[in-house]
Amino acid sequence: NGKGKCEDTWMDEHIIVDSGTAHLNGDIVDNNLNNLKWWIDKHNIYSSREAIDFLIKEKNKFSSKKKTIKNKFLKNKFFYMFPVGLRSFLYFLYRYLFRLGFLNGWQGFLFDFFQAFWFRVLIDAKIVELKKIMKTKDLTLEQAVKSEYGYDI
């Protein structure tokens, strides 16, 4: 308690600790019994937040803090280098084929499709949409986010 803090980001926050961490042996089971509608609604909100986070970082030229997390670095510097649409498809192929998602049967296909393809396409669509709103209505990022999503950034 009091040895770490949450990153200041809109999505995919991580806890930054001041000292070392320990490994606990055991499993953490997320026995989520919610339906697909709940999952899609949740990820629709997450995609808005991730699109906002991307545009904020793009506006700040992906400025990095002292403690950059490798996965976020790869996502911001590598993943977003690919064209819209292609990056989601490549990520799906990576997860489903190279990370062996197909071994989980149809459930593995659905999970990788929704998580790696649909969710990422939705984020890209919201990034494009916000950029279009900013351009056509001559709004700042802050104004566009407030008008479309009701968030203050």
Side-chain angles (χ1 to χ4, degrees), residues 8 100 128 150:
D8 184 20
L100 306 178
V128 170

Side-chain angles (χ1 to χ4, degrees), residues 9-25:
T9 185
W10 272 80
M11 188 63 199
D12 199 21
E13 310 87 53
H14 292 90
I15 303 299
I16 307 295
V17 295
D18 297 329
S19 59
T21 60
H23 177 77
L24 301 175
N25 288 324

Side-chain angles (χ1 to χ4, degrees), residues 89-104 108-109 112-113 116:
F89 179 70
L90 292 174
Y91 186 50
F92 167 75
L93 288 179
Y94 166 74
R95 296 246 323 236
Y96 190 64
L97 295 178
F98 297 108
R99 297 287 305 218
L100 306 178
F102 64 88
L103 294 177
N104 294 315
F109 171 78
D112 286 340
F113 173 79

Side-chain angles (χ1 to χ4, degrees), residues 57-120:
K57 288 177 179 150
E58 183 180 64
K59 179 180 173 185
N60 296 329
K61 304 290 185 234
F62 294 112
S63 63
S64 60
K65 296 182 180 177
K66 280 194 282 185
K67 295 183 180 181
T68 302
I69 295 174
K70 184 177 90 170
N71 289 343
K72 283 191 174 189
F73 174 81
L74 288 174
K75 181 173 69 174
N76 291 332
K77 296 287 186 183
F78 183 72
F79 178 76
Y80 283 112
M81 287 175 30
F82 289 101
V84 171
L86 178 61
R87 57 185 170 224
S88 301
F89 179 70
L90 292 174
Y91 186 50
F92 167 75
L93 288 179
Y94 166 74
R95 296 246 323 236
Y96 190 64
L97 295 178
F98 297 108
R99 297 287 305 218
L100 306 178
F102 64 88
L103 294 177
N104 294 315
W106 67 271
Q107 297 95 335
F109 171 78
L110 288 178
F111 183 76
D112 286 340
F113 173 79
F114 281 114
Q115 185 71 34
F117 187 75
W118 175 83
F119 179 59
R120 294 284 154 199

